[in-house]
Amino acid sequence: MKKILLGLLAIVVTLVSCTDHEEIEIAYQTNMSITASHLFDIYSTVVGDEFNMKGTNNGNWNINLHAFIYDNNGNLVKSVEEQYPSLTSTLNFNLDLLPGKYSVVAIAEFSGTLAGHNYKFWNISNTEKLNDLSIVESDTICNSPFETLGITSSEFEIGDRMENILIDIRPVTGLLQVIIWDDDFSGIGKDGFSIYAPDVENLTIYAPDLKQVVKFNGVNPTYDYGDQATRYPIQIHSPKSQFEKKGPKQSLGYRALLPQENRDFYWELQCVKGAGQKYFLNGKDWQMSDLTDNKLNIQPGKQYVMDLLLDGTFLYVQDYNPEVDMFERLQSIQGFINKKNIKKALDERYDKYVGMSKNTIETYLDQESWYTTETTTNYWGTGLISSITARFTDSTMTKANRIMLMWAISSQAELDVVTEVLSEMYTPWDEDSTENIKQFINSTTLEEVTVMISWDLHNGCLYFDAIN
């Protein structure tokens, strides 16, 4: 019996010894829930239903939720992906991971159909390692807010107790709202459409370059250029098609853009053959604009708005202000265009023509007089200036003592803008100004004045007169 007891004791000691030296790792249950239900909460709509995924003219969309879990060395240890028909859906799963430090990259992107075409905006690849993970924008153009890309990435730790981790994915793209105005703002169009609309076959808005790739530095997203780094189409439009089918005069679209500093834009248009001679000084059927005067600093979750006024062949971009509706914004842009065009006309500095000879003036104007009297010559103006008249001291026409500009404007707002621009260029001379005649001098002091500028708002005439 004693030998038996000693044998049992040896077995117990052996078992205890084995337990003391082996570490048994336990995976504590950790639940992760991922949602993108608030992806559009910070954005505003124009029509009201643009963010509805089903049941509207905006297409039929699904949201794709992805979760990639990486260990402390950046190796993929778990991935879960599901597609849902509703933005309010939640991706739930259990991690079943051992205690330790991990990283999660949660991604929300959309796929679906619009006007009979299938679209998927973002392609995820190289998921096996965090530093290789890549999200690349498709080169397909679809003007939809569902181009929005959401990413939330962070580090987390699994300990020795049960946990629930909730991730609410937010956008990393900024949302650009695009409105093309085919309206007749000049009063000389047809059927309410711009004078250009019947003859402009194609109108495309471009960005010189855009970032299209998401990479990761640790868990932090970084943004870079893709294969299509230049001449990136933002929206394609046909005013001619809209005019012919009597469609809407305003065309609304959206683009989701990755973060980027100082982003500007431009447009190109193609007229029907020969129409360019009617509309443009160079007579060409193909036209390209300058870059937008202002630039956007695109940031995650911010909203921007782009307006293209066909009647003014003018493109303007700015931060979106939900307190200002589209028609108030339009009025403000029209005011900006008026001032820009008026300033461009006055930048010629016609006060310098005072004292010049007829030949010198014609060299500057690059044209000959179309009508001449004994002491005056008349020239065609450009843009908002319909005609230019030079008056000389005598018939030799060697010294001009007056330059008169006749303006092709009529609204009080335009007339007031001329006053505003003159006030910025010259020194107001209030002593002799009246309600209808505003006067300025071409110097800051009266002693140095050589030209008096008189702006006749009633008749739309601007005079530059020599001071003897």
Side-chain angles (χ1 to χ4, degrees):
M1 177 64 71
K2 185 176 181 180
K3 289 181 179 180
I4 294 173
L5 289 173
L6 289 171
L8 289 173
L9 181 59
I11 293 173
V12 171
V13 170
T14 302
L15 288 173
V16 170
S17 175
C18 290
T19 302
D20 287 343
H21 287 85
E22 287 186 8
E23 295 182 1
I24 300 176
E25 296 183 286
I26 301 174
Y28 290 90
Q29 182 173 335
T30 300
N31 297 312
M32 183 169 283
S33 299
I34 297 176
T35 179
S37 59
H38 302 292
L39 201 62
F40 293 113
D41 283 4
I42 51 182
Y43 298 134
S44 300
T45 62
V46 176
V47 179
D49 63 0
E50 295 98 303
F51 303 153
N52 292 351
M53 294 170 59
K54 312 284 182 181
T56 68
N57 294 326
N58 304 314
N60 184 26
W61 302 93
N62 294 309
I63 186 168
N64 306 305
L65 297 180
H66 311 259
F68 300 101
I69 314 299
Y70 296 89
D71 64 19
N72 203 32
N73 296 314
N75 297 311
L76 183 70
V77 294
K78 190 177 185 68
S79 66
V80 183
E81 303 171 84
E82 291 291 344
Q83 185 177 89
Y84 300 100
S86 171
L87 197 67
T88 60
S89 302
T90 302
L91 175 63
N92 296 300
F93 57 95
N94 181 262
L95 289 173
D96 288 327
L97 296 174
L98 297 173
K101 293 181 178 180
Y102 298 88
S103 300
V104 56
V105 178
I107 304 168
E109 46 88 18
F110 295 88
S111 57
T113 59
L114 177 62
H117 297 282
N118 295 323
Y119 295 99
K120 181 174 173 61
F121 296 105
W122 300 92
N123 301 301
I124 304 170
S125 61
N126 303 323
T127 60
E128 291 301 315
K129 288 186 173 294
L130 179 55
N131 58 4
D132 293 332
L133 179 62
S134 178
I135 308 169
V136 181
E137 186 179 19
S138 168
D139 59 3
T140 303
I141 299 174
C142 178
N143 296 110
S144 168
F146 297 105
E147 187 179 13
T148 296
L149 174 67
I151 301 175
T152 294
S153 54
S154 63
E155 297 174 338
F156 67 96
E157 188 169 358
I158 293 180
D160 56 357
R161 57 189 176 87
M162 292 180 57
E163 285 193 66
N164 294 312
I165 300 174
L166 174 63
I167 295 176
D168 189 2
I169 299 178
R170 296 304 173 109
V172 294
T173 48
L175 188 63
L176 176 66
Q177 177 192 117
V178 184
I179 299 181
I180 299 177
W181 303 81
D182 289 333
D183 304 69
D184 176 23
F185 298 123
S186 66
I188 57 176
K190 186 177 180 182
D191 297 332
F193 281 85
S194 165
I195 187 176
Y196 298 104
D199 293 315
V200 178
E201 288 185 313
N202 296 296
L203 176 64
T204 304
I205 302 171
Y206 290 97
D209 57 69
L210 284 177
K211 294 186 176 181
Q212 300 171 266
V213 178
V214 183
K215 291 282 196 176
F216 291 86
N217 179 13
V219 295
N220 299 313
T222 63
Y223 311 102
D224 205 348
Y225 298 99
D227 294 333
Q228 186 178 350
T230 61
R231 194 175 156 80
Y232 188 96
I234 297 297
Q235 187 159 325
I236 300 172
H237 176 67
S238 174
K240 184 175 184 289
S241 175
Q242 291 295 96
F243 173 78
E244 290 175 346
K245 68 183 181 183
K246 300 297 184 285
K249 298 180 184 69
Q250 299 97 38
S251 298
L252 171 67
Y254 288 88
R255 293 306 302 265
L257 308 178
L258 289 174
Q260 191 169 351
E261 296 287 318
N262 297 320
R263 183 66 282 127
D264 44 22
F265 306 86
Y266 66 98
W267 55 258
E268 294 179 8
L269 64 79
Q270 180 68 46
C271 293
V272 298
K273 188 174 181 180
Q277 296 179 3
K278 294 191 296 182
Y279 302 122
F280 307 109
L281 291 176
N282 62 14
K284 296 181 179 179
D285 296 332
W286 178 86
Q287 300 289 323
M288 183 177 75
S289 75
D290 296 329
L291 293 172
T292 45
D293 292 303
N294 52 335
K295 301 175 185 292
L296 295 182
N297 291 326
I298 302 167
Q299 300 175 21
K302 284 199 66 175
Q303 189 168 353
Y304 309 89
V305 61
M306 170 186 287
D307 293 279
L308 193 153
L309 280 62
L310 181 62
D311 235 18
T313 57
F314 188 78
L315 182 65
Y316 194 85
V317 291
Q318 58 188 307
D319 291 359
Y320 177 76
N321 182 356
E323 302 300 320
V324 178
D325 71 32
M326 59 190 289
F327 296 102
E328 290 179 276
R329 189 177 68 247
L330 172 66
Q331 188 175 18
S332 174
I333 294 171
Q334 288 174 316
F336 180 88
I337 295 172
N338 284 338
K339 185 171 182 179
K340 179 182 174 69
N341 291 335
I342 288 168
K343 189 176 186 307
K344 181 179 179 181
L346 289 173
D347 277 344
E348 179 63 19
R349 299 291 303 219
Y350 289 94
D351 57 301
K352 73 184 179 186
Y353 286 30
V354 176
M356 287 184 180
S357 68
K358 173 180 179 292
N359 291 338
T360 304
I361 290 174
E362 291 184 352
T363 299
Y364 273 97
L365 293 177
D366 193 25
Q367 61 171 304
E368 294 181 356
S369 170
W370 60 267
Y371 180 73
T372 301
T373 68
E374 185 177 356
T375 58
T376 65
T377 55
N378 293 274
Y379 307 92
W380 297 116
T382 57
L384 297 177
I385 298 174
S386 59
S387 66
I388 304 166
T389 300
R391 188 185 70 186
F392 298 88
T393 56
D394 55 44
S395 60
T396 64
M397 296 187 179
T398 55
K399 187 176 183 179
N401 61 4
R402 166 177 279 188
I403 302 294
M404 184 188 79
L405 309 181
M406 179 66 73
W407 288 77
I409 57 178
S410 57
S411 72
Q412 187 61 47
E414 291 174 312
L415 296 169
D416 290 340
V417 171
V418 175
T419 306
E420 181 183 347
V421 174
L422 288 170
S423 298
E424 295 170 357
M425 296 179 66
Y426 303 101
T427 302
W429 187 248
D430 296 332
E431 290 184 20
D432 295 323
S433 292
T434 65
E435 183 178 352
N436 289 323
I437 305 292
K438 304 298 180 184
Q439 294 199 309
F440 309 85
I441 54 177
N442 69 336
S443 175
T444 55
T445 63
L446 191 59
E447 292 75 19
E448 298 175 341
V449 173
T450 59
V451 175
M452 175 69 74
I453 301 104
S454 302
W455 169 225
D456 183 348
L457 286 85
H458 183 71
N459 296 303
C461 294
L462 180 61
Y463 303 92
F464 298 85
D465 288 304
I467 295 179
N468 298 324

